[in-house]
Amino acid sequence: KNLGAVVVLYNETPRAKNRFFDCIVSWEKHLKFVHNRYPVIVFYLDNVKNALTEKQKASLRSLAPSLKLEFHPVQHVVPQQFKKLIKGILAKQQPKRGLGYIFCSQFLGFEMFKHPRLTGENAPEYMLRLDDDITFDADASLDLFEDMYKNNIEIGWNVIMYQWKKSSAHQDDKVNQYVQRHHLQNNSFYREHFPNGVWDFRLYAGCVELYKRSVFSNQAYYAFLEEIQMLEGIYQYYWMEQAFKTLWMYFHSPPEKWKLYSCTLPTLHRGIRKEWFEYEDC
């Protein structure tokens, strides 16, 4: 049985490349429970400027001999309905993050779960999904995947960022429509976090994600994305995948299937813990 895997999407820009090399060194030093046991699946954009080269892959492997690194090329395919609109979409984009950021939300939001490496017999049951700028400053020795399996946990978390407000109005409307259609008005999460139909809640998806793959790899999740018009949101309203993935976590998994992993997952985002991660009294 393939119990778990670390999954990352590599950013091909030169500055991000150097940062990722530093991350791999940190993972080799501190991600103890992964060493020589679980694969580290690296997705990267192919056929683009500064794409990951074979020489760079070899260098990463030499830096991290205890990590079972795999490299899988992916393509950014702009949906047909937006191809003629891209110039205008990028001109209006706020903040200016470019087409690459849209691709991240598209891939990490749903395409990733349909990739052949994450489907079928060889797919991991659990995933630790890390951004390519996540490092550690202490050892992560507890086998998170074993712990989740033994305790019937579907969602692990340590992120404490809250949803930004400026991008939420359009998404609020789509989510409220979904709630009404599926009679979720009495859902405890909805009552607590959508006062007056406007959301206010923590993002449990983001730069560090830990979950049972089946939470997202299913037709109900894809139908949810269709109903809230996720692609339109990403391309024309600048939604980010953290928001709608967090929403689905809330709707899909009851509280008893969630677990906080703070002290056992000592993560830093670009060298910073404060305001990003739950890590008090560790």
Side-chain angles (χ1 to χ4, degrees):
K1 177 172 70 173
N2 297 300
L3 189 61
V6 178
V7 179
V8 59
L9 176 63
Y10 167 77
N11 187 330
E12 75 280 359
T13 63
R15 184 173 63 178
K17 179 198 74 174
N18 294 332
R19 191 169 60 219
F20 183 58
F21 274 64
D22 292 339
C23 287
I24 289 296
V25 171
S26 174
W27 299 1
E28 169 69 14
K29 182 177 180 181
H30 293 300
L31 209 51
K32 298 293 188 181
F33 81 93
V34 172
H35 289 176
N36 300 308
R37 181 172 185 190
Y38 298 116
V40 177
I41 300 169
V42 181
F43 293 114
Y44 67 96
L45 271 173
D46 199 12
N47 297 323
V48 295
K49 184 179 179 181
N50 298 313
L52 198 60
T53 66
E54 293 303 316
K55 184 178 180 180
Q56 290 168 338
K57 295 175 190 176
S59 179
L60 287 166
R61 288 192 172 102
S62 68
L63 288 170
S66 299
L67 299 181
K68 299 169 66 176
L69 290 168
E70 300 179 9
F71 298 97
H72 298 271
V74 294
Q75 304 285 331
H76 181 194
V77 179
V78 177
Q80 186 65 37
Q81 65 267 38
F82 302 116
K83 285 185 176 179
K84 293 183 179 180
L85 305 175
I86 285 297
K87 188 175 181 180
I89 286 171
L90 294 178
K92 293 187 298 181
Q93 189 182 43
Q94 292 293 335
K96 299 291 186 182
R97 290 188 167 118
L99 194 58
Y101 222 83
I102 292 175
F103 167 68
C104 285
S105 289
Q106 181 176 327
F107 182 77
L108 297 176
F110 79 104
E111 289 181 345
M112 172 177 68
F113 300 107
K114 296 184 177 184
H115 190 278
R117 182 59 182 87
L118 298 181
T119 59
E121 293 182 359
N122 292 322
E125 187 169 354
Y126 297 90
M127 291 171 52
L128 173 60
R129 218 283 307 158
L130 302 175
D131 275 6
D132 61 355
D133 53 9
I134 293 296
T135 56
F136 299 83
D137 63 353
D139 290 349
S141 299
L142 174 69
D143 191 323
L144 302 178
F145 305 137
E146 287 279 4
D147 189 77
M148 293 178 74
Y149 176 75
K150 290 177 181 177
N151 293 288
N152 197 26
I153 300 299
E154 294 182 349
I155 305 292
W157 63 278
N158 73 346
V159 178
I160 59 172
M161 288 295 288
Y162 277 80
Q163 165 68 5
W164 55 97
K165 294 182 178 179
K166 63 182 290 186
S167 67
S168 68
H170 177 262
Q171 196 168 16
D172 287 349
D173 181 56
K174 298 301 180 185
V175 171
N176 283 315
Q177 291 176 29
Y178 177 86
V179 167
Q180 296 295 324
R181 282 193 298 269
H182 293 270
H183 308 292
L184 295 171
Q185 296 93 326
N186 292 324
N187 177 279
S188 59
F189 153 71
Y190 182 76
R191 292 202 311 270
E192 179 180 357
H193 297 288
F194 273 75
N196 302 315
V198 178
W199 73 2
D200 177 21
F201 66 90
R202 180 178 293 180
L203 292 172
Y204 291 100
C207 52
V208 176
E209 301 172 354
L210 179 62
Y211 39 70
K212 194 171 185 178
R213 182 182 53 83
S214 60
V215 169
F216 294 101
S217 185
N218 61 76
Q219 290 303 315
Y221 175 61
Y222 305 141
F224 163 73
L225 298 182
E226 289 280 345
E227 286 197 51
I228 65 171
Q229 298 177 2
M230 177 270 302
L231 281 174
E232 179 188 18
I234 287 174
Y235 277 86
Q236 296 191 307
Y237 296 93
Y238 318 115
W239 296 4
M240 298 169 71
E241 85 284 354
Q242 300 99 311
F244 56 78
K245 286 170 79 174
T246 294
L247 280 166
W248 183 252
M249 289 175 180
Y250 275 122
F251 287 137
H252 181 278
S253 298
E256 63 269 19
K257 292 186 180 292
W258 291 58
K259 184 174 180 179
L260 169 63
Y261 292 96
S262 53
C263 303
T264 52
L265 196 58
T267 44
L268 305 172
H269 179 254
R270 300 190 181 186
I272 299 172
R273 172 170 294 117
K274 188 178 180 181
E275 300 178 355
W276 282 97
F277 302 109
E278 188 78 59
Y279 198 66
E280 295 183 3
D281 302 321
C282 292

